[in-house]
Amino acid sequence: VLAPAWPGLEDSVADVRRDPAGLSAVSLGDVLDRYAKIIRGLSEPPVIVGHCYGGLICQLLGDQGLGAAAVAIAPIPPRGFLVRSFFCRLALLSVAISSSGKHGIAHLTFTQFRRKFCNSLPESNARHIYDAQVIPAPRRVVLQTALAGFTLSSAATVNFGNSRRPPLL
Protein backbone atom coordinates (compact mmCIF):
# COMPACT_ATOMS: atom_id res chain seq x y z
CA VAL A 1 0.00 0.00 0.00
CA LEU A 2 1.28 3.43 -0.95
CA ALA A 3 -0.17 6.63 0.45
CA PRO A 4 2.02 9.45 -0.88
CA ALA A 5 1.43 12.97 0.33
CA TRP A 6 0.22 15.80 -1.84
CA PRO A 7 2.87 18.26 -3.00
CA GLY A 8 3.80 20.51 -0.08
CA LEU A 9 2.53 18.05 2.53
CA GLU A 10 5.55 15.77 2.80
CA ASP A 11 6.60 17.07 6.23
CA SER A 12 5.12 16.36 9.66
CA VAL A 13 1.86 17.97 10.79
CA ALA A 14 3.82 20.35 13.05
CA ASP A 15 6.20 21.34 10.24
CA VAL A 16 3.39 21.96 7.74
CA ARG A 17 1.50 24.07 10.29
CA ARG A 18 4.61 26.04 11.14
CA ASP A 19 5.41 26.83 7.50
CA PRO A 20 2.57 26.13 5.05
CA ALA A 21 4.01 28.42 2.36
CA GLY A 22 4.81 25.44 0.10
CA LEU A 23 1.07 24.86 -0.32
CA SER A 24 0.16 28.27 -1.70
CA ALA A 25 0.72 27.45 -5.38
CA VAL A 26 -0.35 23.79 -5.35
CA SER A 27 -3.06 23.04 -7.90
CA LEU A 28 -5.19 20.00 -8.65
CA GLY A 29 -2.97 19.46 -11.70
CA ASP A 30 0.11 19.33 -9.46
CA VAL A 31 -1.48 16.65 -7.30
CA LEU A 32 -2.52 14.62 -10.35
CA ASP A 33 0.95 14.93 -11.89
CA ARG A 34 2.61 13.66 -8.71
CA TYR A 35 0.35 10.62 -8.42
CA ALA A 36 0.51 9.85 -12.16
CA LYS A 37 4.31 9.84 -12.01
CA ILE A 38 4.29 7.48 -9.01
CA ILE A 39 1.78 5.13 -10.68
CA ARG A 40 3.71 5.05 -13.95
CA GLY A 41 6.82 4.04 -11.97
CA LEU A 42 5.16 0.93 -10.49
CA SER A 43 5.74 -2.55 -11.90
CA GLU A 44 1.98 -3.15 -12.30
CA PRO A 45 -1.12 -0.97 -12.30
CA PRO A 46 -2.51 -0.47 -8.78
CA VAL A 47 -6.05 -0.24 -7.49
CA ILE A 48 -6.40 3.48 -6.78
CA VAL A 49 -8.51 4.30 -3.72
CA GLY A 50 -9.50 7.72 -2.45
CA HIS A 51 -11.96 9.42 -0.13
CA CYS A 52 -13.37 12.94 -0.57
CA TYR A 53 -10.75 14.81 -2.63
CA GLY A 54 -8.90 11.51 -3.02
CA GLY A 55 -12.07 10.04 -4.54
CA LEU A 56 -12.10 12.74 -7.19
CA ILE A 57 -8.36 12.30 -7.75
CA CYS A 58 -8.69 8.53 -8.28
CA GLN A 59 -11.43 9.18 -10.88
CA LEU A 60 -9.21 11.71 -12.66
CA LEU A 61 -6.23 9.31 -12.63
CA GLY A 62 -8.46 6.55 -14.00
CA ASP A 63 -9.53 8.95 -16.74
CA GLN A 64 -5.84 9.11 -17.72
CA GLY A 65 -5.91 5.31 -18.14
CA LEU A 66 -3.95 4.73 -14.94
CA GLY A 67 -4.59 1.94 -12.47
CA ALA A 68 -6.23 -1.48 -12.68
CA ALA A 69 -9.36 -0.11 -10.99
CA ALA A 70 -10.45 2.96 -9.05
CA VAL A 71 -12.49 3.11 -5.86
CA ALA A 72 -14.00 6.52 -5.10
CA ILE A 73 -15.41 6.76 -1.56
CA ALA A 74 -17.72 9.74 -1.01
CA PRO A 75 -15.81 11.75 -3.63
CA ILE A 76 -15.92 15.47 -4.22
CA PRO A 77 -18.02 15.58 -7.39
CA PRO A 78 -16.25 16.18 -10.69
CA ARG A 79 -17.27 18.96 -13.07
CA GLY A 80 -20.86 18.52 -14.20
CA PHE A 81 -22.17 17.11 -10.92
CA LEU A 82 -23.66 19.14 -8.10
CA VAL A 83 -22.38 19.07 -4.55
CA ARG A 84 -25.59 17.80 -2.98
CA SER A 85 -24.68 18.04 0.67
CA PHE A 86 -25.64 21.37 2.18
CA PHE A 87 -22.85 20.99 4.76
CA CYS A 88 -20.28 20.27 2.07
CA ARG A 89 -21.41 23.40 0.19
CA LEU A 90 -21.04 25.44 3.35
CA ALA A 91 -17.55 24.04 3.98
CA LEU A 92 -16.43 24.87 0.42
CA LEU A 93 -17.98 28.34 0.65
CA SER A 94 -16.29 29.01 3.97
CA VAL A 95 -12.90 28.22 2.40
CA ALA A 96 -13.66 30.39 -0.62
CA ILE A 97 -14.52 33.47 1.42
CA SER A 98 -12.46 32.87 4.56
CA SER A 99 -9.83 35.36 5.62
CA SER A 100 -7.78 32.35 6.73
CA GLY A 101 -7.49 31.57 3.02
CA LYS A 102 -5.14 34.46 2.37
CA HIS A 103 -1.76 33.65 0.88
CA GLY A 104 -3.22 30.61 -0.87
CA ILE A 105 -3.66 28.59 2.32
CA ALA A 106 -6.92 27.41 3.87
CA HIS A 107 -6.84 26.37 7.50
CA LEU A 108 -9.69 25.44 9.79
CA THR A 109 -9.68 26.72 13.35
CA PHE A 110 -10.41 24.16 16.04
CA THR A 111 -13.97 25.52 16.38
CA GLN A 112 -14.60 25.16 12.63
CA PHE A 113 -13.09 21.67 12.57
CA ARG A 114 -15.14 20.48 15.52
CA ARG A 115 -18.37 21.96 14.15
CA LYS A 116 -17.87 20.42 10.67
CA PHE A 117 -16.18 17.10 11.39
CA CYS A 118 -16.27 16.09 15.07
CA ASN A 119 -19.46 17.60 16.42
CA SER A 120 -20.51 14.38 18.14
CA LEU A 121 -17.18 13.81 19.93
CA PRO A 122 -16.27 15.15 23.34
CA GLU A 123 -14.18 18.31 23.03
CA SER A 124 -11.04 16.61 24.40
CA ASN A 125 -11.20 13.87 21.73
CA ALA A 126 -11.84 16.40 18.98
CA ARG A 127 -8.91 18.50 20.24
CA HIS A 128 -6.61 15.47 20.16
CA ILE A 129 -7.57 14.69 16.56
CA TYR A 130 -7.20 18.34 15.54
CA ASP A 131 -3.76 18.65 17.11
CA ALA A 132 -2.53 15.36 15.65
CA GLN A 133 -3.93 15.51 12.13
CA VAL A 134 -5.40 18.78 10.90
CA ILE A 135 -3.15 20.69 8.53
CA PRO A 136 -3.60 23.64 6.18
CA ALA A 137 -4.78 22.91 2.66
CA PRO A 138 -3.91 24.49 -0.67
CA ARG A 139 -6.81 26.90 -1.16
CA ARG A 140 -6.33 26.77 -4.92
CA VAL A 141 -7.32 23.08 -5.05
CA VAL A 142 -10.44 23.76 -2.97
CA LEU A 143 -11.46 26.62 -5.25
CA GLN A 144 -10.72 24.62 -8.42
CA THR A 145 -13.13 21.92 -7.33
CA ALA A 146 -15.72 24.25 -5.81
CA LEU A 147 -15.86 26.31 -9.01
CA ALA A 148 -15.51 23.38 -11.45
CA GLY A 149 -19.09 23.75 -12.64
CA PHE A 150 -18.38 27.32 -13.74
CA THR A 151 -15.06 26.62 -15.49
CA LEU A 152 -15.12 25.11 -19.00
CA SER A 153 -11.59 23.72 -18.86
CA SER A 154 -11.70 22.58 -15.23
CA ALA A 155 -8.99 20.19 -14.04
CA ALA A 156 -11.83 18.42 -12.17
CA THR A 157 -13.42 17.13 -15.40
CA VAL A 158 -13.89 13.36 -15.75
CA ASN A 159 -14.72 11.84 -19.14
CA PHE A 160 -16.97 8.96 -18.09
CA GLY A 161 -17.20 7.81 -21.73
CA ASN A 162 -13.45 7.23 -21.89
CA SER A 163 -12.92 3.60 -22.97
CA ARG A 164 -9.31 3.59 -21.65
CA ARG A 165 -10.38 4.10 -18.06
CA PRO A 166 -10.27 1.22 -15.60
CA PRO A 167 -13.42 0.12 -13.78
CA LEU A 168 -14.70 2.64 -11.24
CA LEU A 169 -16.37 1.44 -8.06
Side-chain angles (χ1 to χ4, degrees), residues 128-166:
H128 175 73
I129 293 168
Y130 180 84
D131 291 342
Q133 298 181 15
V134 176
I135 54 175
R139 185 172 186 232
R140 185 173 177 194
V141 174
V142 176
L143 292 175
Q144 284 179 304
T145 54
L147 301 175
F150 306 101
T151 310
L152 291 177
S153 60
S154 170
T157 302
V158 175
N159 176 4
F160 290 102
N162 181 354
S163 62
R164 294 181 319 127
R165 64 181 299 112

Side-chain angles (χ1 to χ4, degrees), residues 21-27 30 103-105 138 140:
L23 297 173
S24 63
V26 173
S27 69
D30 296 330
H103 307 298
I105 308 299
R140 185 173 177 194

